[in-house]
Amino acid sequence: MPVVVDTQRMGRSLARMAHEIVERNRGVDELAFVGIRTRGVPLAQRLARAIRDITQVEVPVGSLDITLYRDDLMRHTVGPQPLVRLTDIPFSIDDRKILLVDDVLFTGRTIRAALDALIDFGRPRAIQLVVMVDRGHRELPIKADYVGKNLPTALTQSVRVRLDEIDGRDEVVLEETNHD
Amino acid sequence: MIETMPPAAAAPSSQAVTSLRGRHLLGIADLTREEILLILDTAEAMKEVGERPIKKVPALRGRTVVNLFFEPSTRTRTSFEIAEKRLSADTLNIAVATSSVTKGETLADTARNLEAMSPDVIVLRHSMSGACHLLARICRSRIINAGDGMHEHPTQALLDAFTIREHKGRLEGLKVAIVGDLAHSRVLRSNIHLLNKLGANVWVAAPSTLMPSGIAQFGVTPTTRVDEAVRDADVVMLLRIQLERMQGNFFPSLREYFTLFGMTPARLKLARPDAIIMHPGPMNRGVEIDSEVADGSSSVILEQVANGVAVRMAVLYLLAGGEA
C-alpha cells in the first residue's frame, strides 16, 4: 500500500496552495472557506491558518454536509441512508469568493452536490475549488482551481487521505480495491 | 510496511448505528437506544436546514407522502407537512372526519385505495390504538405513526427528547415529572419508553382516577401527590386533560383539578431553578397549566413545536431517504 504523499509533502502542498490562493485573488478580503465534511473541514482550517500566517488576515471557515444533495440518495448504490451531519456556515456567502475544499476530487459528483447546496445559501461572487488530491476519472464537467497533488489512478484503485485531526497522521495512500 | 492501529478517536463507536432497522415508525417501544440517538443527531442537522435562507433540500425529491389524519390535528399535521416540504417530497393531505370511520374495515379500505396510487410514506393519525400496526401489515408504504388512540405518538416523544437534550445536554440521570391525564395519553406512553431507554428518572403524577393501573411496571415512579413529582425535577412535562376521551367523571371539576394538580408558579418553585416546562399541546390554560407558567421564562413549549419539524424531517429522511 504505497504512501504517495507523506506528512512533509502534505504540509508543503498546503503552504503552496495557501500562497496560490492569496496570489490569484490579489488578497484575501472577500474570501471564505467552506470545507466539505468530513476531511474537507480540517483541510480548510489548515489553509485558513496558513493564510493568516502569510497575510495576518483571518479568513472565515464553514463546514458543509452534502448528504441531502447527493444524486445517488434514491438509488440502490448507497444502500442504507448516509449519515446526515451538521452544516455550519456562520457567515453570509453573498458576494464573497468561496473556496470550496475537499480531500479527493474523483467523479465530481460530490462537488456538484456541494455547488447546489452552496447556491441555496446565497449568491457568492465566485466559487473556487481546492482539493488535496485530483485522481481523475471525472463524470461531470468539473475542474479544481488548486490541487495539492495530481495523482493518475486506475478505477480499481482507491485513494485515501488521512489527516492528523481525524486519523492521527497526515498521508495520502493509494490502495488496490478488491472486487467481489 | 507496518500498519499501525488507528487512534481510538477515529475508530467508529461500536454502538453507533447509521440506519433504522425497521421500515416503519410505529412506536418508540420498537426502537433501540442507538436508533433514538441516530434520529436525534440527524434532527440536529435538519434543524440547521430550517435556519437557512432557502429552507429546502432535495433529499426526498420524487417521493410521495400521504398525511392521513382521522383525528383533528393542527400542530402535528402542519409539522409533518412542513417537514415533508423541506425535504422536497410531494405531499397529500387527507383529513377524514372521525364520524365516518367504523372500526377496521374503512381504514383498511382507505389504505388499500391509497396504496393503489403508490405513495412512499403514509403518515397516519387515528383514534384507534394499533391502527398504524394494521396499516403496516397491509401496506407496502412506510408507515409513520402520528398518534394512534391511547397507544403511542413517537414523533412527539422524539421532539420532547430533542428539546430536553438541547437544554440539558443529556437525558441520562435527569428527573422528569409528567403530570396530567396519564390514562388517556399516547404522549405519555411514548415518552416513558424513550426516557427510560435514555436513562432518565421518570415520575408520573395524576389523580388516582387518571392513573393507569400497573404503570409502575413501565419503570416509572407513580404518585398522586404532584409536589412529590415536581420536587427537584429537571423537566416538568404537562399533559392535557383530554375531555374528549373521557366518558364519565374522573374528577369533581376542572377547577379542583387545577387547584390540586395545575402547574402554578408556586408549585414550579419546587422544581430545580433551571427546570424547563413542557407541554405537547394544545394547552388548557387554567386547567393543567397556569398562564403565567405557560408564558414564563421556564417554558419551552414553543421550542417543542419548532423542534417538531426537525425531528420529523429526520424520521422521514431515515425511513424514506434510502432506496425505494
Side-chain angles (χ1 to χ4, degrees):
Chain A
M1 191 178 52
V3 174
V4 287
V5 176
D6 61 14
T7 308
Q8 285 182 336
R9 172 116 197 230
M10 191 185 289
R12 281 198 298 269
S13 294
L14 284 166
R16 170 180 51 80
M17 284 194 283
H19 279 283
E20 285 176 4
I21 289 166
V22 176
E23 187 186 6
R24 195 177 311 176
N25 292 287
R26 296 185 192 85
V28 296
D29 291 342
E30 301 159 316
L31 297 186
F33 283 103
V34 172
I36 298 176
R37 280 184 182 271
T38 304
R39 286 176 179 72
V41 178
L43 283 173
Q45 286 160 343
R46 287 195 208 181
L47 286 165
R49 278 200 297 276
I51 286 181
R52 188 188 56 200
D53 292 345
I54 301 165
T55 66
Q56 274 72 54
V57 177
E58 199 82 45
V59 177
V61 180
S63 53
L64 180 67
D65 183 275
I66 55 104
T67 310
L68 297 169
Y69 288 83
R70 284 172 64 147
D71 61 3
D72 54 359
L73 212 48
M74 308 291 200
R75 294 172 191 279
H76 293 266
T77 45
V78 260
Q81 308 82 327
L83 216 52
V84 187
R85 285 155 307 176
L86 198 63
T87 291
D88 180 23
I89 302 181
F91 46 84
S92 165
I93 71 165
D94 282 340
D95 298 321
R96 275 188 197 267
K97 289 192 214 165
I98 300 297
L99 295 150
L100 186 63
V101 186
D102 203 2
D103 54 352
V104 180
L105 178 57
F106 182 24
T107 61
R109 289 179 191 269
T110 300
I111 304 304
R112 195 285 308 164
L115 291 174
D116 276 359
L118 267 182
I119 301 291
D120 280 354
F121 278 85
R123 187 178 186 281
R125 226 179 84 194
I127 300 176
Q128 299 170 4
L129 180 58
V130 189
V131 297
M132 190 63 230
V133 176
D134 181 349
R135 64 163 294 186
H137 305 289
R138 216 75 76 238
E139 293 170 4
L140 296 172
I142 280 169
K143 182 174 170 297
D145 299 279
Y146 311 91
V147 179
K149 163 102 180 143
N150 275 302
L151 187 63
T153 57
L155 278 169
T156 53
Q157 294 171 312
S158 77
V159 175
R160 187 167 298 180
V161 174
R162 294 202 176 98
L163 298 174
D164 189 41
E165 294 90 330
I166 294 165
D167 313 289
R169 61 185 148 162
D170 285 344
E171 64 183 15
V172 178
V173 294
L174 194 57
E175 293 170 339
E176 292 298 328
T177 48
N178 300 320
H179 281 279
D180 301 328
Chain B
M1 192 182 70
I2 299 163
E3 171 72 350
T4 53
M5 288 291 290
S13 153
S14 58
Q15 296 204 318
V17 294
T18 58
S19 58
L20 303 178
R21 292 164 307 146
R23 285 174 50 81
H24 313 288
L25 178 65
L26 304 179
I28 301 292
D30 309 324
L31 299 177
T32 64
R33 179 177 182 279
E34 289 67 39
E35 287 176 311
I36 292 167
L37 292 173
L38 170 68
I39 295 172
L40 298 183
D41 290 345
T42 306
E44 267 179 50
M46 295 300 182
K47 186 165 181 171
E48 183 274 328
V49 173
E51 291 158 1
R52 295 182 189 177
I54 295 179
K55 300 170 182 55
K56 200 178 185 74
V57 291
L60 294 191
R61 204 171 42 186
R63 294 284 156 107
T64 307
V65 182
V66 173
N67 300 314
L68 182 57
F69 278 64
F70 287 90
E71 269 191 337
S73 161
T74 313
R75 207 178 333 264
T76 305
R77 195 192 53 71
T78 317
S79 179
F80 266 108
E81 195 178 345
I82 292 176
E84 291 149 10
K85 293 197 149 103
R86 286 195 178 159
L87 291 170
S88 302
D90 295 315
T91 66
L92 185 65
N93 293 311
I94 303 177
V96 186
T98 322
S99 58
S100 73
V101 180
T102 54
K103 284 187 184 176
E105 282 181 351
T106 310
L107 171 63
D109 278 345
T110 310
R112 288 199 185 95
N113 278 287
L114 284 172
E115 278 272 290
M117 296 179 265
S118 38
D120 298 285
V121 180
I122 297 175
V123 177
L124 178 69
R125 163 162 295 190
H126 199 282
S127 57
M128 252 180 20
S129 304
C132 297
H133 287 76
L134 172 70
L135 236 62
R137 277 200 301 278
I138 62 175
C139 292
R140 286 188 313 276
S141 318
R142 288 161 169 79
I143 308 296
I144 298 178
N145 184 351
D148 63 329
M150 296 183 267
H151 176 232
E152 279 226 43
H153 189 354
T155 56
Q156 177 68 43
L158 287 163
L159 74 89
D160 289 342
F162 184 87
T163 307
I164 295 171
R165 202 171 70 154
E166 266 195 335
H167 280 268
K168 304 293 177 192
R170 71 201 151 91
L171 279 92
E172 207 165 355
L174 296 182
K175 179 177 178 181
V176 181
I178 307 179
V179 183
D181 185 350
L182 308 179
H184 302 96
S185 177
R186 53 194 174 211
V187 175
L188 172 76
R189 279 154 191 74
S190 290
N191 258 305
I192 288 179
H193 287 306
L194 195 156
L195 292 167
N196 277 335
K197 284 178 184 189
L198 266 58
N201 247 323
V202 186
W203 287 61
V204 295
S208 54
T209 48
L210 291 174
M211 180 76 75
S213 59
I215 194 167
Q217 290 167 19
F218 285 95
V220 300
T221 313
T223 175
T224 51
R225 293 220 292 262
V226 66
D227 290 359
E228 235 178 87
V230 173
R231 184 165 291 117
D232 297 323
D234 299 281
V235 177
V236 178
M237 192 182 289
L238 302 166
L239 299 177
R240 188 170 62 90
I241 297 299
Q242 302 190 46
L243 294 169
E244 77 276 17
R245 289 190 211 279
M246 292 184 188
Q247 288 156 354
N249 297 318
F250 289 85
F251 43 79
S253 70
L254 291 176
R255 181 179 293 190
E256 180 165 330
Y257 179 85
F258 180 66
T259 310
L260 292 175
F261 288 90
M263 197 49 51
T264 57
R267 198 159 267 150
L268 181 58
K269 282 205 175 74
L270 296 170
R272 288 175 53 94
D274 61 348
I276 54 171
I277 293 285
M278 308 179 78
H279 194 306
M283 280 188 282
N284 292 320
R285 287 170 186 264
V287 180
E288 65 264 0
I289 188 165
D290 190 300
S291 270
E292 202 180 320
V293 173
D295 306 325
S297 59
S298 307
S299 168
V300 298
I301 295 168
L302 292 176
E303 287 175 42
Q304 287 173 268
V305 179
N307 289 338
V309 175
V311 163
R312 289 175 177 120
M313 285 171 76
V315 169
L316 284 159
Y317 168 74
L318 289 169
L319 289 179
E323 57 192 63

